[in-house]
């Protein structure tokens, strides 16, 4: 039913965004504080940051191209 509205990449982006939001909410509320050995916000950082890092490093290594994605990747690493 949703195939006519979303293609596969849109579904993956939407799912990643929803899962990241859930893990951010869990981190802010502290629900899994004693259960997980890490902060649940790291799941959101990895899910949201991995595609940006991949595109940025792919561009810099293959095309020697400095884009906004590279700057966002540097900011993401610095913020984490």
């Amino acid at each position: 039913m949703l195939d006519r509205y979303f293609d596969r990449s849109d579904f993956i982006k939407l799912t990643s965004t929803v899962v990241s939001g859930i893990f951010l909410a869990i981190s802010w509320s502290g629900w899994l504080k004693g259960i997980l050995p890490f902060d649940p916000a790291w799941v959101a950082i990895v899910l949201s940051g991995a595609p940006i890092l991949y595109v940025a490093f792919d561009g810099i290594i293959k095309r020697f191209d400095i884009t906004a994605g590279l700057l966002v990747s540097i900011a993401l690493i610095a913020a984490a």
Side-chain angles (χ1 to χ4, degrees):
M1 178 178 156
L2 293 176
D3 290 342
R4 61 184 156 163
Y5 298 112
F6 297 113
D7 63 357
R8 183 170 165 78
S9 66
D10 288 339
F11 179 73
I12 291 172
K13 289 176 192 174
L14 180 64
T15 304
S16 174
T17 303
V18 169
V19 170
S20 294
I22 290 170
F23 275 96
L24 280 176
I26 290 171
S27 175
W28 290 335
S29 66
W31 288 339
L32 300 177
K33 195 168 196 161
I35 298 172
L36 292 177
F38 58 89
D39 189 359
W42 281 103
V43 175
I45 291 171
V46 170
L47 280 177
S48 300
I52 298 170
L53 288 170
Y54 174 75
V55 170
F57 286 118
D58 184 57
I60 195 86
I61 290 174
K62 290 183 180 176
R63 295 182 306 272
F64 302 107
D65 189 22
I66 296 175
T67 61
L70 179 64
L71 300 176
V72 170
S73 298
I74 292 169
L76 175 73
I77 293 169

